[in-house]
């Protein structure tokens, strides 16, 4: 039996019948489709979505990059078991999605991109917004998606669609391969009719695997762990995506191993757990970083070891060993680690069983971890308690942390706040913290908040966004308001870029381009610009509250939390202030060898001497085969 539909109608019907399953729980894989229409997709996917009776809700975004951020946040809030599809016209609509696609792939998050493309027949070329390339008429701007997509295809004939859709779903639902998937759809092919086999549209369940580790690898890992006296766990995003947090807790408690967290892994153990030592790396806590420097074994669970996590490879001892539990061999092999390629939950469970008789770490090591954590807690409490005008950023974070309570989630992405949040935020659990720091993309915050709220409407979503990020993508406030999606947006205005400003000063770049001011003498050192971001938010339809003190902020957060509509709370902070306690770690950003003060370059070179390649091979287990 067949059904006659256009290619676009077939895409919509297919997507509506895809399901994911893990641990015997099924859910729709696509929670909906976001899109902005133009001549490249309006007659195809636009018409298909407008007339569809399938369960695939359509959502209008205001910016194509933003819609991909929304889809990525939706996927992360769903632990990669669901996502959104995104459709655009050709040309700028399509290329606007590339930044979002890069972020999704870097963060290992599934999103499906459906950009329109030029005519496959070339009958009317060059069409509006077509990039002509003298090497081939088959090249379009959509070829730019290839390096940022985990799977890419162009559908030039209807007959190509079924295999491409199945390949796309295979990648989207594979936790070791997932990321952005791009299916470029020529505008004439979208509208072309075809007789499709009915089985293409039957409900299809994609089973999300939980790969178990190789037995020999578990044995090698058990030998390595039980020989360590100062092991430290680094929990990454894979711990949360695989629902391994309970297994992590059991593993840590059973063996007395402290747990540090990456940005994506924050909340893997809740604040207050005796073995939770907080953030690690360039934006980490002094507790986690001190233990990292002293550790003889690092157990990475679901982490890709970014340069912030490793403090540009200066935070771990030169002779430290690494055991990496990761669903991808690519990440498990990093830092010359002993590879345990497996689902995080399965890997931890089998390790726990493999050395069930091991007593664990010495009591004095556990007490040292607790003592370091208590000292850091005191520093955080002091930072949360600061007062002043403008408001200290650490006090803003403390107030939002209190308001979020156990059911809230904080969203952030770029600027100085992600670093401060990583250090200071006290998570109630894995869903309480959502900072996009794989790509650290300005403009992600409000769009990401939308995706989280769509995936988890029961949560209160607190978006922390600086003025720089806000001005990149403020228009998604309109999307929230038009959709009736409630967000609490804390808009922090410091008239510029605090994070890059401090960095600029440290490398001799004189804070050029980091303040929002009139040009003045030539370096934007004139008076402040007469920009009212609170009025801007109100003009987009949001309810707006202004807070000039910590007491004002707490009251505004209570009001916003109890409201039913999106509320923006406007606060001012000092761009020059650094009120969060130091992580006492380093991040590798080169200093010019000529034209900067000698002391800056000398300090840079001194830190470079602490960088370690970590090239030592993992040890063989006792009884390894004799080499001939």
């Amino acid at each position: 039996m067949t059904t006659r539909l256009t290619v676009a109608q077939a895409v919509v019907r297919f997507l509506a019948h895809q399901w994911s399953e893990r641990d015997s729980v099924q859910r729709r894989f696509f929670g909906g489709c976001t899109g902005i229409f133009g001549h490249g997709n309006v007659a195809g996917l636009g018409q298909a979505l407008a007339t569809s009776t399938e369960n695939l809700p359509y959502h209008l975004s205001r910016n194509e990059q933003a819609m991909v951020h929304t889809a990525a946040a939706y996927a992360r809030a769903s632990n990669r078991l669901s996502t959104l599809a995104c459709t655009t016209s050709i040309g700028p609509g399509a290329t606007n999605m590339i930044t979002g696609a890069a972020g999704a792939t870097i963060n290992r998050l599934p999103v499906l991109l459906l950009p329109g493309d030029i005519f496959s027949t070339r009958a009317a070329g060059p069409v509006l917004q077509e990039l002509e390339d003298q090497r081939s008429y088959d090249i379009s701007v959509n070829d730019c998606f290839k390096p940022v997509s985990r799977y890419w295809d162009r559908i030039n004939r209807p007959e190509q669609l079924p295999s491409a859709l199945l390949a796309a779903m295979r990648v989207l639902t594979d936790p070791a391969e997932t990321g952005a998937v791009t299916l470029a759809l020529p505008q004439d092919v979208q509208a072309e009719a075809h007789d499709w086999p009915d089985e293409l549209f039957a409900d299809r369940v994609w089973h999300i695997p939980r790969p178990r580790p190789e037995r020999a690898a578990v044995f090698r890992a058990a030998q390595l762990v039980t020989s360590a006296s100062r092991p430290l766990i680094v929990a990454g995003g894979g711990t949360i995506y695989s629902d391994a947090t309970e297994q992590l807790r059991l593993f840590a408690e059973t063996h007395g191993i402290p747990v540090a967290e990456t940005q994506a892994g924050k909340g893997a153990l809740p604040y207050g757990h005796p073995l939770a030592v907080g953030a690690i790396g360039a934006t980490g806590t002094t507790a986690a970083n001190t233990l990292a420097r002293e550790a003889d074994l690092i157990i990475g669970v679901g982490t890709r070891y970014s340069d912030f996590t490793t403090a540009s490879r200066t935070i771990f001892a030169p002779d430290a060993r690494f055991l990496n539990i990761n669903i991808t061999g690519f990440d498990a092999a990093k830092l010359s680690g002993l590879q345990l390629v497996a689902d995080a939950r399965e890997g931890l469970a089998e390790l726990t069983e493999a050395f069930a008789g091991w007593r664990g770490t010495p009591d004095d090591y556990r007490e040292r971890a607790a003592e370091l954590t208590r000292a850091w807690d005191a520093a955080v409490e002091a930072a949360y308690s600061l007062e002043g005008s403008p408001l200290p950023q650490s006090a803003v974070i403390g107030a939002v942390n209190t308001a979020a309570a156990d059911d809230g989630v904080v969203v952030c992405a770029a600027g100085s706040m992600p670093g401060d949040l990583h250090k200071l935020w006290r998570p109630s659990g894995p869903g309480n913290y959502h900072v996009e720091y794989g790509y650290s993309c300005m403009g992600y915050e409000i769009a990401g908040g939308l995706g989280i709220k769509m995936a988890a409407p029961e949560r209160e979503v607190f978006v922390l966004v600086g003025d720089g990020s806000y001005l990149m993508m403020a228009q998604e406030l309109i999307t929230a308001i038009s959709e009736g999606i409630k967000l609490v947006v804390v808009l922090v205005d410091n008239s510029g870029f605090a994070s890059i400003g401090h960095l600029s000063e440290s490398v001799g770049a004189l804070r050029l381009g980091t303040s929002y001011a009139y040009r003045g003498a030539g370096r934007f050192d004139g008076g402040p610009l007469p920009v009212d971001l609170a009025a801007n938010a109100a003009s987009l339809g949001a309810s707006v509250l202004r807070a000039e003190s910590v007491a004002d902020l707490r009251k505004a957060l209570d009001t916003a939390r109890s409201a039913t509509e999106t509320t923006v709370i406007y606060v001012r902070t000092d761009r020059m202030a650094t009120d969060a306690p130091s992580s006492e770690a380093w991040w590798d950003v080169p200093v010019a060898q000529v034209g900067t003060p000698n002391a800056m370059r000398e300090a840079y070179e001194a830190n470079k001497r602490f960088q370690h390649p970590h090239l030592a091979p993992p040890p063989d287990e006792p009884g390894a085969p004799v080499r001939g």
Side-chain angles (χ1 to χ4, degrees):
M1 298 289 290
T2 61
T3 300
R4 190 163 181 80
L5 299 169
T6 67
V7 166
Q9 291 162 359
V11 169
V12 170
R13 182 169 293 189
F14 176 87
L15 297 184
H17 290 270
Q18 305 309 298
W19 297 76
S20 69
E21 179 275 328
R22 189 172 69 182
D23 301 333
S24 301
V25 177
Q26 294 185 8
R27 63 172 72 191
R28 289 189 180 277
F29 190 73
F30 292 101
C33 179
T34 64
I36 298 176
F37 300 117
H39 68 284
N41 66 340
V42 66
L45 281 165
Q47 188 275 342
L49 288 164
T51 60
S52 173
T53 58
E54 302 288 348
N55 192 346
L56 190 74
Y58 164 71
H59 304 278
L60 170 62
S61 295
R62 271 69 192 172
N63 178 281
E64 292 90 353
Q65 180 189 140
M67 71 169 80
V68 186
H69 293 327
T70 297
Y74 187 103
R76 178 172 169 182
S78 304
N79 283 345
R80 305 194 296 198
L81 300 173
S82 294
T83 189
L84 303 173
C86 306
T87 178
T88 71
S89 186
I90 68 171
T95 54
N96 276 353
M97 289 201 296
I98 291 173
T99 295
T105 295
I106 286 170
N107 287 297
R108 319 304 205 251
L109 295 170
V111 296
L112 177 62
L113 311 179
L114 303 170
D117 212 328
I118 57 178
F119 281 82
S120 66
T121 60
R122 305 177 187 168
V127 298
L128 178 65
Q129 299 175 336
E130 178 178 350
L131 169 73
E132 292 186 276
D133 192 303
Q134 62 185 6
R135 294 167 296 176
S136 172
Y137 280 120
D138 194 44
I139 293 174
S140 81
V141 295
N142 288 336
D143 289 80
C144 297
F145 284 96
K146 289 179 178 178
V148 296
S149 298
R150 297 295 293 163
Y151 176 81
W152 183 98
D153 208 346
R154 177 179 283 123
I155 312 305
N156 285 311
R157 292 296 309 142
E159 292 86 350
Q160 297 171 345
L161 182 65
S163 61
L165 287 172
L166 294 175
M169 287 303 304
R170 174 189 62 79
V171 173
L172 289 167
T173 58
D174 184 342
E177 291 292 324
T178 197
V181 166
T182 302
L183 297 181
L185 299 169
Q187 54 184 308
D188 53 341
V189 176
Q190 286 185 49
E192 188 173 341
H194 184 72
D195 294 318
W196 306 95
D198 287 345
E199 56 262 36
L200 179 64
F201 307 120
D203 280 356
R204 191 179 301 267
V205 179
W206 298 84
H207 301 279
I208 310 299
R210 286 195 179 277
R212 300 177 66 178
E214 180 193 19
R215 289 180 61 85
V218 173
F219 179 72
R220 290 191 293 269
Q223 294 288 327
L224 186 59
V225 175
T226 55
S227 65
S229 58
R230 300 180 307 279
L232 175 69
I233 295 169
V234 175
T239 313
I240 294 173
Y241 300 149
S242 64
D243 282 327
T245 54
E246 181 60 24
Q247 191 65 49
L248 174 71
R249 182 194 62 78
L250 178 64
F251 181 85
E253 290 176 354
T254 301
H255 308 298
I257 304 177
V259 176
E261 300 163 325
T262 70
Q263 281 278 15
K266 192 167 177 69
L269 278 189
Y271 168 73
H273 188 282
L275 291 166
V277 297
I280 191 169
T283 54
T285 72
T286 53
N289 288 346
T290 298
L291 293 172
R293 292 185 182 98
E294 299 173 355
D296 55 358
L297 174 66
I298 304 300
I299 305 172
V301 184
T303 177
R304 63 189 188 93
Y305 288 116
S306 76
D307 64 337
F308 262 69
T309 296
T310 67
S312 299
R313 299 198 180 190
T314 63
I315 204 72
F316 304 123
D319 58 351
R321 297 291 192 177
F322 294 85
L323 165 62
N324 300 325
I325 305 171
N326 205 291
I327 202 160
T328 74
F330 177 78
D331 288 323
K334 289 178 177 176
L335 302 179
S336 297
L338 195 158
Q339 302 175 49
L340 200 68
V341 179
D343 171 79
R345 196 179 78 179
E346 295 299 314
L348 287 169
E350 296 213 13
L351 260 186
T352 300
E353 184 178 338
F355 45 78
W358 182 49
R359 179 181 179 276
T361 60
D363 291 342
D364 60 347
Y365 179 62
R366 305 181 196 200
E367 178 51 38
R368 175 160 171 72
E371 180 183 343
L372 289 168
T373 302
R374 286 193 293 269
W376 178 257
D377 270 349
V380 172
E381 200 61 47
Y384 274 6
S385 302
L386 292 173
E387 297 276 357
S389 181
L391 289 175
Q393 183 162 283
S394 60
V396 172
I397 291 172
V400 175
N401 204 163
T402 300
D406 290 342
D407 65 333
V409 53
V410 66
V411 191
C412 196
S416 60
M417 274 189 293
D420 286 354
L421 281 163
H422 195 210
K423 296 177 191 178
L424 302 177
W425 189 266
R426 293 167 165 174
S428 62
N432 181 241
Y433 185 87
H434 184 120
V435 172
E436 191 285 292
Y437 219 55
Y439 211 36
S440 188
C441 185
M442 296 178 72
Y444 176 93
E445 293 89 345
I446 297 173
L450 280 170
I452 298 166
K453 189 69 173 179
M454 290 166 67
E458 73 281 1
R459 283 193 173 275
E460 289 290 336
V461 177
F462 294 82
V463 176
L464 264 173
V465 59
D467 50 336
S469 270
Y470 176 83
L471 287 169
M472 292 276 183
M473 216 160 283
Q475 72 279 350
E476 293 312 303
L477 281 175
I478 303 172
T479 304
I481 291 160
S482 67
E483 293 273 2
I485 297 173
K486 180 206 168 179
L487 303 175
V488 178
V489 179
V490 181
L491 172 52
V492 180
D493 186 355
N494 58 24
S495 299
F497 306 129
S499 176
I500 203 66
H502 293 304
L503 182 61
S504 172
E505 194 170 44
S506 72
V507 298
L510 307 177
R511 290 186 174 263
L512 176 65
T514 62
S515 64
Y516 288 162
Y518 287 104
R519 177 171 287 279
R523 289 188 177 271
F524 300 100
D525 55 2
L529 295 173
V531 176
D532 189 338
L533 296 182
N536 173 265
S539 76
L540 299 178
S543 298
V544 176
L545 304 171
R546 295 176 186 256
E548 297 182 1
S549 67
V550 175
D552 286 347
L553 176 57
R554 292 191 181 116
K555 182 178 178 181
L557 285 164
D558 287 343
T559 301
R561 187 178 172 107
S562 62
T564 57
E565 70 281 350
T566 289
T567 303
V568 172
I569 302 171
Y570 175 84
V571 299
R572 288 199 59 82
T573 61
D574 185 353
R575 186 176 70 257
M576 308 299 286
T578 52
D579 44 66
S582 171
S583 67
E584 299 180 8
W586 183 67
W587 184 41
D588 190 350
V589 177
V591 175
Q593 288 186 290
V594 177
T596 55
N598 289 338
M600 287 184 179
R601 181 68 193 188
E602 289 169 0
Y604 175 72
E605 291 174 350
N607 280 311
K608 288 286 285 184
R609 288 194 284 273
F610 291 100
Q611 246 173 353
H612 311 302
H614 299 298
L615 296 177
D620 282 341
E621 75 275 13
V626 177
R627 295 175 181 171

